Amino acid sequence: MGLGRTLLFRSFNMFLVLFATLFITVILLGPTLDKLLVEAMRNQVIDEINQRTLKFQNSEERLSYINKELQLRSKTFGLDQNSFTPSKLFYRIISVMTLDLGKSHFFTTDYGSSNVRDIIFEKVPKTLLLFTTSTLCVTVIGIVLGTYVAGKEGSWWDKLNSIFAIFSNSFPSWWVAMIMILVFAFTLHIFPARATPISSPSDSTYILDLLYHMALPLITLIIVSFGSWAYIVRYFLINILNEDFIFAKRTIGISRRKILYSHGLRNAGPPIATAVALSLASSFGGSIITEAVFDWPGMGKLYYDAIGLFDIPIIIGLTYISTVIFLVTIFITDISYTLLDPRVKGS
Amino acid sequence: MQKKLLIDLLRSRRGFIGISIIVFLLLVSAIAPLFIPIKSYILWNDPDYWINNPKTAAPFWTNIFGSKEFEHISLKKNDAKIVSESSDGIKIVNYEFKINMQSGSFPDDFMFLYTAKYGNIPPVLQIDINRPDNNNFTVYYSSLPSSSNINTTFSDRIFSTNKNVKEAMFQYQSLFKYPIANYEPQVLLFSDTDKPSVLKGTYQISEKFFLFDNSSIVDDIGLILGGKVFGIMGTDDLRRDLIVGIIWGTPIALFIGLTVAIFSISIGLIYGVIAGYRGKRTDETMMRINDIFYALPTLPLLILLSITFGRSIFLIIGFLMFFSWMGTAKIIRSIALQIRNFQYVEAAKLMGQSDLKVIFKHIIPQLLPLTFASVAISVPGAILGEAALSFIGLGDPSLPTWGQLLHDANTADAAPRGIWWWIVPPGMMIALTGLAFFLIGNTLDSIANPLRNKNKK
């Protein structure tokens, strides 16, 4: 497959998955969302009655007025239809894609807006900040450490790294997060236990405060994943180092160091990229929960709180956004795979 | 062949460690129904069941290191010395408890328990504490609630937070050389009068009932001094004994892990074999579908599913199965692609055997050892998945799973408060279980992978 075709194919696949997820979301939560919208509409009608100070003879008349008004409005918005009619499903998918999900019942942004889109967009950058920073750090540490231990196969360092990788794979990352709070916040008092910055976003020191509060979550995310990263790098590198062409290079006298870092790493690149794409995908879920443990003001915390309060619009919005982030991550690693793979480049 | 697999497994160091851990976990699972009352499992979320335990107490063995903290004391009717006398038609029954106070810290709280039967005139209860410095504190003096019934049975417990107890303490301010308003009754009762530190020695605590007619009797009596240390694993904020949660969590985790792993790997096995064996267009389509499943974001969808369909443990197992067969399908398919070109398979086909028979008789048996390895490797994922769901508050609320314990710990801010005994053990159990299955799976995989062995030869 050529580069262009691969790209096209991958993007097609990505949109298919996105659409499938949206479809499942809408099918699952459509009826609940309908119910919530009708409820919101009823409140709106009652508000209007109170404001216009309409007079009614008795409460029954008032109730019948509300119901009539509600029916009228439901019809215009299509809420009286079954949640599963095709046109409705289509509109709902569109509204999820544009995050047009109405208002949240329990959450507001720092500036007081309760619009679901505003709330989510306020949180996304913070999640991305934490997730990308930790991913970058882990990538660098993983590649350097993995290459180092691959060059010393069978040494103490190598064994230590393997054991560490197995252990860090067995522990849930959010549990490690709790332990980190216990050690660094409760016992040693180095970092704050709650990662929500104290100063308000308009302060000039806000960025510094944010970074200081980010330290502990960041360290945790790095600790839980760099071991398995290094292990993956080491595994594929050693496989490559046993190939004939490496032996050939060694016999012409290319230094061991150069073989390891240049020839070995480049050839091991593609499989490493694939393995990493998968581990990234799974660590994204884990980092969302880790966020909730640290109270880091990102999507994960919002997710955790929204589930606790059963705020459906927020949950739907977050599911959509995290799916997008997840797919884009996989897409990027896929592309880098294609770029790294010499066979694809050649054709 | 299966027997040889087991022997090989036990011979390798990793496999042996893995098997030993599993045996340990199975023993723990067996202990659960045999030695721990089944009630503790059903009533895990019922605060009434746990009320006699201390609140947020550390494990008892922490007393070996560090300072000697107050150990939980729970005294029953049999532990009391009963003295009864009667004069002028009034019967006075006195239950006297003796407590030898030697620890360096105060109790966390105290409770006086009683059950009394009486008629029209309610009895009066007076609680006195005689201290080693010969001070006598009357902490409670009140009548039981009156009733119109001829025969009432009244059962109650007086907590250290009781208003009467707090008020009663104020009359002793003159005895203390420091302001007592800042201290709780459980501190003052056992404190030196010069400074707020423990007064060691023997205390006599008496619950005295004044009964006004013959039909009145005291049924039951008890005294609980809440410990700062309790049990092997301590207790949580709801006074639950954490060892019970840890032990009951073991069979549940094993059940979840194994069920999810066995079923999802079976699905993956059949799916992969069909795709690989049929090849061509079927393979192409099936692998496309597989790719789509592979790329679905598991956690968000799991959240949606549990919100919509509920949180029963069986539903959760179903969801987890649904999201974990894809990897196996991919691996199995690539192996089946090669096996179908082996000569004995082609021979079977030429002999006119049906596809189904070839698949089940000739291909799947070849793949079985690898399947065992995959099952073992995917158990930790299932356990971690359930733990993650429980942790964010979507687990089965009726079961004490390890994830559930950690969820409770997180909502109670256990980490910033330093309650390590609530956090460390459940996580260790999750990791230990994961590690065991991972080691076994890893060893099985290197023994049993047909392609890898072929390459070696």
Side-chain angles (χ1 to χ4, degrees), chain B residues 181-253:
Chain B
N182 304 331
Y183 296 94
E184 300 291 325
Q186 65 267 29
V187 172
L188 295 172
L189 286 179
F190 299 98
S191 154
D192 205 317
T193 47
D194 295 336
K195 54 185 189 298
S197 68
V198 179
L199 177 70
K200 290 182 181 169
T202 309
Y203 289 75
Q204 280 177 12
I205 301 177
S206 64
E207 298 185 38
K208 201 185 272 174
F209 286 88
F210 297 88
L211 307 167
F212 299 106
D213 50 36
N214 283 332
S215 61
S216 301
I217 43 167
V218 180
D219 254 1
D220 200 14
I221 198 87
L223 167 68
I224 292 172
L225 293 177
K228 292 224 162 68
V229 293
F230 179 80
I232 301 172
M233 293 279 178
T235 60
D236 66 6
D237 272 4
L238 292 169
R239 300 168 189 268
R240 295 182 290 208
D241 193 350
L242 286 169
I243 185 77
V244 174
I246 300 277
I247 289 183
W248 274 118
T250 315
I252 302 172

Side-chain angles (χ1 to χ4, degrees), chain B residues 45 52 83 85 123 235 238 254 287 319 429 440 451:
Chain B
N45 285 315
N52 289 345
V83 182
E85 51 184 298
T235 60
L238 292 169
L254 288 180
M287 281 303 110
F319 301 149
M429 290 303 277
I440 291 175
L451 295 180

Side-chain angles (χ1 to χ4, degrees), chain B residues 21 30 45 48 50 54 83 106 111 137 143 150 170 193-194 208 219 236 244 260 272 298 349 373 427 437 454:
Chain B
I21 299 175
N45 285 315
D48 279 349
W50 302 98
V83 182
F106 295 103
M111 284 177 228
F137 289 0
S143 76
I150 302 290
F170 279 112
T193 47
D194 295 336
K208 201 185 272 174
D219 254 1
D236 66 6
V244 174
V260 172
T298 317
K349 263 201 274 188
F437 282 102
K454 226 176 160 51

Side-chain angles (χ1 to χ4, degrees), chain A residues 9 16 21 25 28-29 166 170-172 174-175 178 182 186 194 278 285 289 293 303-304 307 310 315 322-323 326, chain B residues 288 292 294-297 299-300 303-304 307-309 384 391 406 410 413 415-418 420 423-424 427 431 435:
Chain A
F9 184 74
L16 206 62
T21 317
T25 313
L28 287 180
L29 291 182
I166 291 173
S170 309
F171 288 112
W174 36 269
W175 180 75
M178 295 174 93
L182 206 58
F186 177 75
R194 290 271 161 258
L278 292 176
I289 308 183
V293 176
Y303 230 139
Y304 190 85
I307 290 168
F310 210 68
I315 294 174
S322 52
T323 309
F326 175 84
Chain B
R288 271 298 78 74
I292 291 174
Y294 217 112
L296 285 177
L299 188 71
I303 290 172
L304 283 190
I307 281 179
T308 325
F309 292 115
L384 281 181
F391 186 75
L406 288 169
N410 192 48
D413 278 338
R417 286 164 62 200
W420 54 268
I423 302 170
V424 176
L435 190 69

Side-chain angles (χ1 to χ4, degrees), chain A residues 146-159:
Chain A
T147 320
Y148 178 76
V149 291
K152 298 188 176 240
E153 193 190 348
S155 71
W156 265 105
W157 281 111
D158 186 25
K159 277 181 190 149

Side-chain angles (χ1 to χ4, degrees), chain A residues 30 111 226 243 258:
Chain A
Y111 302 101
F226 85 87
E243 298 271 342
K258 196 168 177 209

Side-chain angles (χ1 to χ4, degrees), chain B residues 65-76:
Chain B
F65 325 101
S67 61
K68 212 165 151 21
E69 297 284 341
F70 186 77
E71 274 179 49
H72 192 65
I73 293 177
S74 173
L75 297 174
K76 305 231 157 47

